[in-house]
Amino acid sequence: MTKSTSAGTLAPGFNSLGLDDRLLQSLTTLGYEEPTPVQREAIPMLISGVDVLGQAATGTGKTAAFALPILQSLATNERMREPMALILVPTRELAMQVAEAVHKYGKPLGAVALPIYGGAPIETQLRALKRGVDIVVATPGRALDHIRRKTLKLGGLKIVVLDEADEMLDMGFAEDLEAILEATPSERQTALFSATMAPKVSAIAAKYLRHPKTIRIAVDVKVSGVAPKVRQVAYIVPRAHKMAALGRVLDIEQPTSAMVFCRTRTEVDALTETLNASGYRAAALHGGLNQQQRDRVMKAFRANTTDLLVATDVAARGIDVEHVSHVVNYDVPSAPDSYVHRIGRTGRAGREGVAITLAEPREHRMLRNIESATKQKITISAVPTVADLRTRRLEATRANLREAIVAGDLEAMRGVVESLASEFDVMDVAAAAVKLVVARESGEGDQREIPTAPTRTSAAARPMSGPRYSPKERAERAERAERPDRAERVMRSERPDRPERPARPATKRPRVTSTQEMVRLFIGGGRKLKIRPGDIVGAIANEMNIAGEAIGAIEILDRHSLVDVPSTIADEVVTVLRGTTIKGKKLLVRRDLASQPRK
Ligand code: ADP
Ligand code: MG
């Protein structure tokens, strides 16, 4: 095996990776400024035709690392009627997500990617397969189903990707995977990606990969000194609540000057806009700005006329600012050294600095990797609650009142107090005045509680290798991934401390049974917006970390859609959907009062 270690940050940009101009164009459109380490290594390798064995945690950008080379091959070879690539993933959510990503990256090529997973009507998949697809993204069980029916033809396959191989093996898909790989052309190219290299993963790699090049990201990156005076905190927040969580954290932390890092230009622009609209003074810095614009932004930041500099890694590189009190990672950076670069902006010259990271539940492992690479602790904290914020506000108000009393010059106000004092207790008058001040200072978003997204506690606490599920759990998981229609519906338990449920041991999965009471939600968009049931399931399942099968009947009408969800999570679903977009649009979402859910 040839060994290559994590690449440095020498070659910026996607230009030198050998990708077709049209693909570079879609990356620009998506706001990607530079490849992540796994992309920088894997893309040229896969384009050169060799097999690749990659170890990288969630959030390191693996999808583009294999999707772009597949699309590159599609761009340079004659198009066939049969699929040229098969990507195997553990769950239906991932199948949808990866197919969507492939579609986005390959849009200018007109690439057709089809997700295939259990639970969706097989006829639709059959029709799509018949029409001809370039890239199939499938869960192993359903893929095998189609292979046996001879509806998924493997003869034209040039490349097979096993994404999240450890998960697939943990879920009991080993035999299915072997059967699928045996049925593919022996001269195919194979890539295997996994967060861990457990023995089972190595075994399947040894059997099916030919002289693979290996890539290993993030576990043993050499990292030079993190400033010791930086307090490092992370909050685990579902994606839909990140903006609210950021606002809450900023309100509590009151940074004098902060840099907020995002992954893409698009995110930088969107976040800056939202922050400004919410009353913060934020400015965007990314690779899309010309020199003059950058200078202006930097000048304002240095002069403290902007408090928040929202930036991509690329744009912030080489920028030197004194007095950054806080660094915020709006996303977990894709590699530990990028984390170290980012947080190195604060805690300079002996001052205390704070590094805050917002991580989605699935990115938890990435945090662990950063901890082990930096040998420093990142404390996981709960997002400040409404009560925390209120306490903090009251504290601030108290301090301000003290100052005002000491400063004196209160004659005109005394008159107001005196006139009320004949009628009320002076204490009450004062308290009411404080209430008014506090009310004036709090924004409208302050009353909403942000759900804490628990980490995948069990998985994270366990060692990086070795079995992570008992055989019974494994069978359950596999079944869940493939057969969501069975009578007993099961929900994923990645949120054991969901507020309205009592805490449960991490191994016991909360169940949603078919007798569960359902509530119908109204969504203000339908066929006219080209919304399909998958879009709604995807939006809910992705944002909430619940399995698609927990969601009930979906009806798409011309201008609106209806979806049934378990009553226990209905309010949360509403909040989540309001905070996200479906088919790129923010839609009206509410409980539907007009109709009863179907049984
Ligand atoms: P993984 O499969 O390793 O968990 P994904 O491929 O799902 O990671 O990517 C994680 C996130 O990072 C996605 O939102 C993706 O759009 C984004 N992303 C991937 N590559 C880049 C890049 N080069 N620049 C900016 N964002 C990226
Ligand atoms: Mg992935």
Side-chain angles (χ1 to χ4, degrees):
M1 270 190 214
T2 335
K3 175 99 187 162
S4 85
T5 44
S6 171
T9 43
L10 292 173
F14 280 95
N15 291 345
S16 52
L17 300 181
L19 293 169
D20 188 277
D21 282 347
R22 288 167 291 175
L23 293 174
L24 294 177
Q25 187 51 50
S26 34
L27 295 174
T28 309
T29 311
L30 291 170
Y32 290 14
E33 295 199 322
E34 61 171 358
T36 66
V38 70
Q39 290 162 4
R40 185 168 291 141
E41 294 202 50
I43 291 172
M45 283 180 191
L46 287 171
I47 289 179
S48 79
V50 297
D51 284 2
V52 165
L53 177 59
Q55 179 176 359
T58 295
T60 50
K62 291 186 292 294
T63 315
F66 57 73
L68 291 170
I70 290 173
L71 292 163
Q72 178 64 24
S73 163
L74 193 70
T76 43
N77 290 299
E78 205 190 320
R79 292 285 262 279
M80 302 293 191
R81 274 200 59 77
E82 294 179 2
M84 50 81 65
L86 173 64
I87 301 167
L88 295 164
V89 298
T91 62
R92 54 192 259 155
E93 284 78 20
L94 264 178
M96 290 192 270
Q97 202 175 302
V98 169
E100 179 63 29
V102 171
H103 172 75
K104 274 193 304 195
Y105 299 141
K107 210 176 219 166
L109 304 177
V112 183
L114 177 71
I116 284 186
Y117 45 81
I122 203 151
E123 294 74 31
T124 324
Q125 296 175 354
L126 288 176
R127 249 177 284 134
L129 282 168
K130 221 174 219 156
R131 275 199 302 272
V133 302
D134 301 308
I135 298 153
V136 171
V137 187
T139 50
R142 187 51 80 90
L144 203 54
D145 220 8
H146 277 288
I147 292 169
R148 295 202 168 124
R149 289 170 182 238
K150 304 220 179 336
T151 43
L152 174 56
K153 303 228 166 58
L154 304 181
L157 283 186
K158 294 201 178 70
I159 177 164
V160 175
V161 178
L162 309 186
D163 188 19
E164 309 227 2
D166 49 350
E167 281 281 329
M168 289 197 282
L169 294 170
D170 274 352
M171 289 169 72
F173 282 134
E175 279 174 23
D176 289 0
L177 287 179
E178 297 217 16
I180 295 168
L181 286 164
E182 295 292 346
T184 59
S186 58
E187 69 280 6
R188 61 155 206 276
Q189 184 182 15
T190 314
L192 183 156
F193 290 93
S194 182
T196 69
M197 280 298 153
K200 274 184 297 186
V201 179
S202 309
I204 206 157
K207 194 159 171 198
Y208 293 100
L209 270 60
R210 272 180 309 186
H211 313 296
K213 292 219 178 192
T214 59
I215 298 172
R216 191 157 180 243
I217 300 295
V219 188
D220 56 4
V221 177
K222 289 181 292 303
V223 173
S224 49
V226 177
K229 292 202 94 172
V230 178
R231 171 162 63 91
Q232 301 178 54
V233 193
Y235 299 96
I236 313 287
V237 194
R239 188 149 45 119
H241 297 283
K242 267 168 105 172
M243 180 56 224
L246 176 63
R248 186 68 51 82
V249 170
L250 290 174
D251 288 348
I252 292 277
E253 292 274 348
Q254 304 256 316
T256 49
S257 163
M259 290 184 78
V260 182
F261 286 94
C262 299
R263 276 196 185 123
T264 66
R265 270 178 211 185
T266 334
E267 274 167 357
V268 166
D269 282 334
L271 187 59
T272 309
E273 200 172 304
T274 319
L275 284 169
N276 279 317
S278 323
Y280 300 94
R281 298 186 304 172
L285 187 71
H286 58 59
L289 306 182
N290 63 33
Q291 194 57 45
Q292 207 184 346
Q293 292 167 315
R294 287 162 154 271
D295 290 346
R296 203 179 312 133
V297 169
M298 286 314 301
K299 204 166 153 214
F301 187 57
R302 289 206 173 92
N304 254 321
T305 48
T306 28
D307 306 323
L308 305 172
L309 187 63
V310 187
T312 55
D313 286 306
V314 177
R317 199 163 290 155
I319 280 179
D320 195 42
V321 214
E322 291 274 296
H323 318 325
V324 173
S325 65
H326 291 67
V327 166
V328 180
N329 297 303
Y330 192 65
D331 298 295
V332 180
S334 56
D337 43 1
S338 150
Y339 177 85
V340 172
H341 277 133
R342 288 178 178 188
I343 77 165
R345 310 293 175 151
T346 184
R348 291 199 171 174
R351 286 197 187 78
E352 195 197 289
V354 184
I356 292 164
T357 303
L358 301 185
E360 290 170 36
R362 62 187 203 107
E363 291 170 332
H364 194 258
R365 193 194 293 269
M366 203 52 205
L367 285 179
R368 289 264 171 277
N369 282 352
I370 292 170
E371 277 190 327
S372 69
T374 58
K375 307 220 165 22
Q376 298 203 11
K377 179 107 191 86
I378 301 175
T379 311
I380 305 224
S381 298
V383 180
T385 59
V386 172
D388 292 339
L389 196 65
R390 205 172 291 142
T391 311
R392 167 99 205 190
R393 285 244 161 75
L394 288 177
E395 284 289 305
T397 307
R398 211 169 74 106
N400 290 342
L401 280 174
R402 252 181 161 279
E403 267 178 43
I405 296 168
V406 172
D409 196 16
L410 297 170
E411 276 317 308
M413 288 76 196
R414 290 187 74 93
V416 176
V417 179
E418 263 161 27
S419 71
L420 286 166
S422 56
E423 210 179 327
F424 303 101
D425 178 19
V426 177
M427 192 70 173
D428 283 340
V429 175
V434 172
K435 186 175 168 188
L436 284 181
V437 172
V438 173
R440 184 151 319 153
E441 281 179 0
S442 359
E444 68 171 285
D446 297 342
Q447 308 308 321
R448 254 177 287 132
E449 210 64 85
I450 299 165
T452 47
T455 60
R456 305 160 109 179
T457 19
S458 48
R462 264 173 252 163
M464 290 295 192
S465 57
R468 288 187 289 150
Y469 302 100
S470 70
K472 185 155 169 284
E473 275 182 293
R474 220 179 286 151
E476 241 185 62
R477 283 175 67 93
E479 181 141 12
R480 220 172 316 133
E482 293 296 308
R483 240 161 282 145
D485 282 340
R486 67 213 177 93
E488 188 181 45
R489 297 170 175 196
V490 185
M491 234 173 65
R492 280 215 240 175
S493 73
E494 284 172 5
R495 331 198 39 179
D497 43 347
R498 178 193 303 281
E500 70 271 22
R501 288 168 185 280
R504 289 162 189 271
T507 48
K508 208 159 167 207
R509 291 159 195 281
R511 280 153 187 277
V512 174
T513 60
S514 53
T515 53
Q516 167 103 37
E517 192 188 316
M518 303 293 270
V519 162
R520 177 163 298 175
L521 305 182
F522 172 98
I523 298 173
R527 246 188 308 271
K528 288 245 153 75
L529 291 178
K530 298 205 165 50
I531 289 176
R532 295 158 305 149
D535 299 320
I536 295 173
V537 174
I540 300 173
N542 280 344
E543 302 282 347
M544 292 190 51
N545 263 321
I546 64 167
E549 54 266 36
I551 299 161
I554 295 179
E555 201 176 333
I556 310 277
L557 296 121
D558 267 350
R559 288 171 192 285
H560 73 277
S561 308
L562 299 168
V563 54
D564 294 349
V565 299
S567 60
T568 47
I569 58 167
D571 287 337
E572 205 178 338
V573 174
V574 170
T575 313
V576 157
L577 288 179
R578 283 179 180 167
T580 189
T581 57
I582 299 178
K583 275 276 186 291
K585 290 217 162 50
K586 269 223 171 320
L587 299 176
L588 173 71
V589 182
R590 55 170 166 76
R591 280 178 184 245
D592 185 51
L593 303 172
S595 52
Q596 290 302 312
R598 282 140 291 184
K599 272 282 135 73

